[in-house]
Amino acid sequence: MSLSNKNILLGVTGGIAAYKSAEIVRGLVKKGAGVRVVMTESAMRFITPLTLAVLSKNQVNTGLWEGDQERIDHVSISSGSDLFLIAPATANTLGKIAHGLADNLLTNLFLTFKGPVVVCPSMNSNMYLHPAVQANLEILRQRGVHIIAPAVGELACGVEGVGRMPAPEAIVMEVETLLMKRAKLSGKKILITAGPTREFFDAVRFISNPSSGKMGYAIAEAAARRGADVVLVSGPSLLPKPAGVRLVNVVTAEEMNEAVMSNLKDVDAAIMAAAVSDYRPVGRYPEKLKKGEEKISNDLERTPDILENAGKRKNGFLLVGFAAETEGLLENAREKMLRKNCDMMVGNLVNSSRSGFESDENEVMVISKKKDTVDKLPLMSKRQAAERIMDKIIEEMGLD
Ligand code: CTP
């Protein structure tokens, strides 16, 4: 059974979908998981603890102040759990866990639990779409909480809209996939570069490009979710640090090169998604340059090619490059893959308005040298693309 040896902590909160939690428990138990349920006060208005205790064959906990006095339940209940699933998750509980409030057993457990957390928001569509709820979900997502988006359909309040908790089987399947994926990269070290670099020609001005870092950060997140030890070397980016990764901030190509070279030891894969400036000004004035002559000039010199340097030091790790092109994508990406001694190349066109530098979406192709294949992925969010790219990398590493 796919979930044998896995223990799931299921948190049930007070939404109408709470009745479906019985089916979630059944589904998890059927796949061999040990299930421990905690419920909030309001969840008990929708389904009884007895039902969930019978189905999980385990005691159900509902309050902070129950249980024996020697053990502190809000710590001991979750120890040994491989995953904390909160389904359904009400707007109220999402708000509390996003902001660290701990006024019941479930929210206390959220703060003490160190493993992966999955939440299934379920509520009226106006509530779900409210900026406050969306902001709370964004906070949770950025902290590494996995969110199973609600479905569109008829809601208990009679209206059509988004907010329905997905079918219990779909939730069980997602939990299963997540636990399986997590195991794939555990014990593996992955180095990722992201963002632009800045090459200064005076104290405050520089050459750069519009890279936001979104693709590299999404790949770092996807690798961390699969259990990898991730080092993310990033040029200047406004994005928050992805959950569970070690972030090394750099500014110039030279600094990025140094950070990459000193972290290459022991890596299992290096993925270079940064948009590195190829040239830097030779003249670098220590102060802010004053306006004067009508015309001035400054020579440019090459920066280190970080990917090429990594390719020269390849000692068994998988090397993945990115090729952002405005034309001849496949030929250019292939040529770069060979020239820089890469095993794989992710290519994308940067002249389309919907995909590329600052966009949230990307349309990429993944080229494998060993397999001699080109996989063209459709236009999708950078986050989804990152998941697909990581799947291909895992396949290439022989870990699938
Ligand atoms: N790259 C790098 N260091 C550089 C330039 C590029 O590590 N100084 C990496 C990028 O992170 C990317 C790959 O090389 O993974 C391809 O980058 P790209 O700018 O498309 O290639 P270039 O080698 O700069 O080729 P060109 O500008 O001629 O297209």
Side-chain angles (χ1 to χ4, degrees), residues 257-387:
N257 187 53
E258 273 168 38
V260 166
M261 294 311 135
S262 61
N263 276 289
L264 260 190
K265 195 169 154 281
D266 306 335
V267 298
D268 296 282
I271 306 164
M272 308 290 190
V276 186
S277 288
D278 288 329
Y279 289 92
R280 66 182 167 213
V282 176
R284 287 187 285 280
Y285 300 92
E287 307 299 333
K288 184 178 171 217
L289 204 59
K290 287 284 175 207
K291 187 157 68 230
E293 308 287 312
E294 222 22 69
K295 273 188 182 170
I296 55 167
S297 63
N298 197 336
D299 283 339
L300 299 178
E301 64 186 2
R302 286 279 301 269
T303 54
D305 191 314
I306 306 163
L307 183 60
E308 200 170 304
N309 289 346
K312 285 181 189 146
R313 294 203 193 180
K314 217 160 71 177
N315 57 358
F317 60 82
L318 187 91
L319 186 59
V320 185
F322 271 69
E325 308 291 343
T326 52
E327 57 180 350
L329 179 57
L330 184 57
E331 308 80 78
N332 283 322
R334 267 217 181 98
E335 183 276 322
K336 271 177 203 171
M337 175 168 78
L338 300 178
R339 175 161 48 90
K340 302 193 186 196
N341 196 20
C342 295
D343 302 288
M344 291 174 83
M345 208 74 189
V346 181
N348 71 301
L349 281 173
V350 281
N351 50 358
S352 137
S353 59
R354 296 195 64 196
S355 102
F357 277 130
E358 283 161 298
S359 150
D360 280 327
E361 292 179 314
N362 211 353
E363 186 174 353
V364 303
M365 57 169 69
V366 183
I367 309 171
S368 157
K369 183 157 78 180
K370 188 171 72 186
K371 294 194 190 138
D372 194 19
T373 53
V374 180
D375 283 312
K376 289 186 182 159
L377 305 182
L379 183 71
M380 57 178 85
S381 76
K382 283 190 174 167
R383 233 176 244 129
Q384 284 171 321
E387 294 290 339

